[in-house]
Amino acid sequence: MEYREILENARKTMAPNCRVCRECNGIACRGEIPGTGGKGTGSSFTHSYEYLASIKIHMDLLYTDRGQDTSCSFFDKTFAGPVFAAPISGLSNNYNGYLNEKTYAEALVPGTIAAGCAAFTGDGAADYYFTDPLTAVAAAGGAAVPTIKPWDREKVLEKIHLAEQAGAMALCMDIDSAGLPLLAAAGKPVCSKDVDELKAILASTKLPFLLKGIMTPEGARKAVETGAYGIVVSNHGGRVLDHTPAPAEMLPAIRDAVGTRVKIFVDGAIRTGVDVFKALALGADAVLIGRPYVVAACGGGAEGVTVYTQKVLAELRDVMKMTGCATLSDITRDKITWNR
């Protein structure tokens, strides 16, 4: 299956909720919630895309070629590259229901694994948003990261236990979900979390735990205090707050604030291996990619997910070749020009 074929199929299966635009930049769907767009004016989504596009890469072919190795390690496991599928839920509300929580996870989890990577699975207003994907997580031997909304502590602990039973390799909480309009409309008690409560939650499990929705250096420093394994720099795809900076825009300051004390993932308008290279140069250890994985799954099932992941990794290797980078550690800030 070719990527072009995946896109053609997805345009049919995802209509009319997602147009499967040539550039997934948030313009056509701005303000569409329920739907795939960004909140309000949609600028948080569109700016994330535009900011990444504005970053320029320094080409250098005068070096001894040692090949390009994209492998990396997280959660005591080795992956083919620093590319993970972001947690997405509400397939029926935000897309058109062609895939539901269970069938999406059944494409996403094995599809990413086949390419040597892995997926974060989602959570949402209904309990099955979290529990249905766990079937796919368990079937894959736990090689995925279930993501929990910032519910009250009792509900969070209950979901941690379910994820542990499924054998999950790590856990995540997308604390930025406290701003999701659909959860608020459903009357679900999601809320912000302070450092002490997060410490208690993280202490309840031995699994590596990530906090998603970090967008400031101070927020990153607080996340370090909780004992988190890692953070995800993310504005939730522009769906929770209008007029935010791009996650990539905040990466250098966040990396400078916390150094290597936590792993730094970033999520926001990353579409290609070129974008992955830019994110790593700005300070990320790995990336999460959201909407394009729904397109890949709707257009080609698990095979579509694998093809898309392999495409991104091939693009990353190509940029590394053109910039003299043999390993991911060679991808440093001097390889790019960006708006500081």
Side-chain angles (χ1 to χ4, degrees):
M1 179 177 285
E2 296 182 358
Y3 187 59
R4 172 186 52 78
E5 181 183 354
I6 293 168
L7 296 180
E8 290 173 354
N9 292 342
R11 288 189 183 98
K12 299 172 186 176
T13 60
M14 300 181 76
N17 296 54
C18 178
R19 289 83 162 172
V20 190
C21 299
R22 183 171 180 174
E23 294 183 344
C24 181
N25 55 20
I27 292 176
C29 58
R30 64 169 75 228
E32 293 183 2
I33 300 178
T36 62
K39 188 174 184 178
T41 67
S43 70
S44 293
F45 182 174
T46 58
H47 177 63
S48 294
Y49 183 91
E50 292 163 356
Y51 184 82
L52 268 174
S54 74
I55 297 169
K56 305 307 176 187
I57 299 170
H58 301 163
M59 188 167 66
D60 179 8
L61 279 300
L62 296 178
Y63 66 92
T64 301
D65 188 10
R66 294 179 287 134
Q68 293 76 44
D69 180 7
T70 61
S71 64
C72 53
S73 297
F74 301 97
F75 323 123
D76 292 326
K77 296 181 182 294
T78 299
F79 299 94
V83 177
F84 294 81
I88 287 182
S89 60
L91 276 297
S92 296
N93 290 335
N94 295 312
Y95 292 88
N96 66 358
Y98 176 76
L99 295 177
N100 57 35
E101 315 307 312
K102 184 173 186 293
T103 55
Y104 179 53
E106 287 172 344
L108 188 71
V109 173
T112 50
I113 290 172
C117 295
F120 285 55
T121 59
D123 190 9
D127 286 341
Y128 72 84
Y129 282 22
F130 183 78
T131 56
D132 279 5
L134 290 183
T135 304
V137 176
V145 184
T147 302
I148 303 170
K149 302 295 184 193
W151 311 110
D152 62 75
R153 190 183 304 186
E154 182 178 350
K155 192 172 188 68
V156 169
L157 295 180
E158 175 188 333
K159 294 197 172 189
I160 287 175
H161 180 63
L162 291 172
E164 290 172 334
Q165 287 183 317
M169 64 181 178
L171 288 164
C172 180
M173 177 182 286
D174 53 343
I175 54 177
D176 48 355
S177 289
L180 277 177
L182 295 180
L183 288 180
K188 295 295 182 176
V190 287
C191 55
S192 60
K193 301 290 182 186
D194 63 28
V195 170
D196 288 339
E197 182 176 5
L198 286 170
K199 280 182 179 179
I201 289 170
L202 270 59
S204 73
T205 181
K206 294 181 179 179
L207 292 177
F209 207 110
L210 297 95
L211 298 175
K212 179 176 178 289
I214 306 301
M215 280 292 288
T216 65
E218 181 57 27
R221 282 188 284 263
K222 291 178 187 177
V224 170
E225 290 182 45
T226 70
Y229 170 88
I231 61 174
V232 183
V233 180
S234 172
N235 62 12
H236 209 95
R239 295 174 64 78
V240 294
L241 181 64
D242 207 355
H243 301 291
T244 68
E249 195 171 2
M250 301 307 299
L251 267 174
I254 288 173
R255 171 59 77 187
D256 291 345
V258 299
T260 59
R261 289 179 288 171
V262 291
K263 297 293 186 182
I264 299 180
F265 293 59
V266 64
D267 163 51
I270 294 163
R271 303 290 179 256
T272 67
V274 176
D275 296 333
V276 176
F277 183 93
K278 292 176 180 181
L280 269 57
L282 289 169
D285 294 303
V287 307
L288 271 61
I289 301 176
R291 294 170 179 91
Y293 269 112
V294 183
V295 171
C298 287
E303 183 182 356
V305 169
T306 301
V307 168
Y308 173 67
T309 307
Q310 290 172 335
K311 170 182 171 293
V312 172
L313 293 178
E315 291 164 345
L316 174 59
R317 287 192 295 270
D318 185 55
V319 182
M320 291 172 66
K321 179 179 180 179
M322 297 301 294
T323 55
C325 297
T327 67
L328 299 182
S329 63
D330 295 328
I331 305 174
T332 50
R333 292 183 193 175
D334 63 317
K335 303 296 183 182
I336 59 172
T337 296
W338 80 100
N339 298 321
R340 301 168 188 257

